[in-house]
Amino acid sequence: MVLFHNKSELQIHLKNKCRDAGKIALVPTMGALHKGHLSLVTKGIQENRTVVVSIFINPTQFDKREDLEKYPSTLKKDLELLATVSEKLIVFAPSVSEMYPDEVSTKSYNFDGLEDLMEGSFRKNHFNGVATVVEKLFRIIEPDRAYFGEKDFQQLAIIKKLVKGVNLSVEVIGCPIVREGNGLAMSSRNNRLSKENRAIAGFIYSTLETAKNLFGTKSALYITDWVKKEFLKHSEFSLEYFEIADEVNLRPIKKRQDKIKYRAFIAVYLQEVRLIDNMPVN
Ligand code: AMP
């Protein structure tokens, strides 16, 4: 495994040792790695000659300072975990000044309104921050393919738009959500939950499953109402949003159409930890 903190050194390595040898994949992460991240890395290895895993806690995508400060930084452990997957990985772990040499600023994008829905409406400027850092990573690494998790489904849709909008030739590949035994979507934030809460957090998944089953016979309005009531019954949780939306444009469902694929999206607070999840419903 090779570790780079410096972008020019990484670029020289890629040019001399990788670029002509085959496809280059990028797996962007913020570290505190778990099996969800590793599934992306594994897919990257299966489909490409070179895999770069970036580990960078991007300050511009945090809307709350305390969230950024609380974000776990575990580089040594992350490298050990990555080494269990492959010794051939390239890891890029830059500092903030390496990624934002002039000033820590956020570029403003237009994603046709995608950025204002769901996550975007609760986390102002979040997707501009994500796109800013992903565009920087794409320009530094120039990958052929980039792997993102469906766990952050809206982010995946935004990155696909970003690539078109700024004319980059990266193939963006979505990967399925990896879950814990009780169905909780794996996340670096899960470590902040107490053991008890981590166990009950499977309720988010089971609610999505029931919503999916209900979607066969009930209206989206009925299901949304039902989900709200379910969360009111479980006071450990605080529901931020639940929505059934078109999987392509992420607009909330109005009149159901047979040809359209819908997905349920949810954001919930448990013990002040914000958890998101989603599931296809048809
Ligand atoms: P993060 O480190 O949280 O920014 O995540 C880095 C990448 O891993 C993103 O593309 C996420 O969508 C993906 N990811 C995070 N958790 C999971 C999971 N449980 N299953 C699949 N992908 C995930």
Side-chain angles (χ1 to χ4, degrees):
M1 193 146 60
V2 220
L3 170 65
F4 293 95
H5 297 292
N6 177 289
K7 56 187 178 230
S8 321
E9 287 172 15
L10 168 67
Q11 284 171 318
I12 292 167
H13 180 87
L14 290 173
K15 183 165 179 279
N16 293 344
K17 300 247 165 85
C18 311
R19 192 86 52 210
D20 296 332
K23 301 274 185 213
I24 297 178
L26 170 65
V27 181
T29 81
M30 296 207 295
L33 302 182
H34 50 68
K35 285 186 189 148
H37 297 110
L38 299 190
S39 72
L40 274 54
V41 176
T42 302
K43 195 162 160 63
I45 292 170
Q46 285 162 355
E47 297 176 354
N48 303 275
R49 166 78 169 44
T50 303
V51 177
V52 183
V53 180
S54 64
I55 298 181
F56 178 64
I57 303 172
N58 172 38
T60 62
Q61 71 188 72
F62 287 83
D63 49 341
K64 291 188 191 132
R65 212 189 151 75
E66 81 236 37
D67 220 20
L68 170 63
E69 281 159 6
K70 274 192 208 152
Y71 207 87
S73 174
T74 57
L75 183 60
K76 191 167 169 281
K77 231 173 116 202
D78 291 344
L79 296 176
E80 284 166 10
L81 206 56
L82 288 172
T84 65
V85 180
S86 166
E87 276 296 346
K88 286 200 221 148
L89 294 169
I90 297 174
V91 180
F92 179 46
S95 63
V96 171
S97 60
E98 186 68 10
M99 290 302 285
Y100 294 92
D102 303 322
E103 54 167 342
V104 181
S105 63
T106 310
K107 195 168 155 183
S108 217
Y109 297 85
N110 178 350
F111 296 117
D112 299 334
L114 264 192
E115 68 277 28
D116 300 323
L117 304 164
M118 298 188 286
E119 286 302 285
S121 74
F122 287 95
R123 303 182 68 190
K124 290 286 167 226
N125 229 14
H126 169 66
F127 287 121
N128 277 330
V130 170
T132 299
V133 80
V134 171
E135 187 182 351
K136 280 175 187 277
L137 288 167
F138 283 177
R139 294 202 186 279
I140 294 166
I141 294 158
E142 297 183 62
D144 299 288
R145 301 191 178 113
Y147 293 78
F148 291 85
E150 289 184 349
K151 157 84 172 27
D152 302 281
F153 198 87
Q154 192 174 1
Q155 168 175 285
L156 174 61
I158 296 252
I159 302 299
K160 286 182 180 164
K161 276 238 183 299
L162 166 75
V163 163
K164 279 196 192 135
V166 297
N167 222 355
L168 285 162
S169 62
V170 187
E171 188 187 346
V172 176
I173 297 171
C175 306
I177 302 174
V178 178
R179 299 179 179 280
E180 297 191 4
N182 64 357
L184 173 66
M186 287 197 179
S187 164
S188 311
R189 289 160 181 239
N190 295 354
N191 290 331
R192 283 168 52 198
L193 295 171
S194 67
K195 204 165 155 239
E196 294 74 25
N197 280 336
R198 199 158 168 157
I200 64 165
F203 176 65
I204 300 168
Y205 175 73
S206 59
T207 307
L208 284 178
E209 281 261 291
T210 311
K212 175 185 179 164
N213 293 336
L214 287 172
F215 195 67
T217 51
K218 304 283 187 200
S219 72
L221 200 65
Y222 174 94
I223 298 167
T224 308
D225 219 46
W226 175 81
V227 169
K228 282 182 185 162
K229 285 186 188 137
E230 280 300 294
F231 276 95
L232 285 177
K233 281 192 232 159
H234 292 78
S235 57
E236 312 89 321
F237 297 91
S238 162
L239 178 68
E240 190 166 67
Y241 67 78
F242 171 84
E243 241 172 62
I244 297 178
D246 180 322
E247 196 176 89
V248 176
N249 63 26
L250 301 188
R251 298 294 188 280
I253 183 170
K254 283 200 181 111
K255 196 170 176 307
R256 185 170 170 173
Q257 293 173 49
D258 286 343
K259 280 189 194 143
I260 295 183
K261 286 212 168 267
Y262 298 100
R263 213 169 248 265
F265 294 86
I266 195 164
V268 173
Y269 278 93
L270 173 60
Q271 195 195 319
E272 289 168 15
V273 182
R274 190 170 183 278
L275 302 168
I276 59 167
D277 203 344
N278 66 85
M279 186 183 283
V281 289
N282 66 335

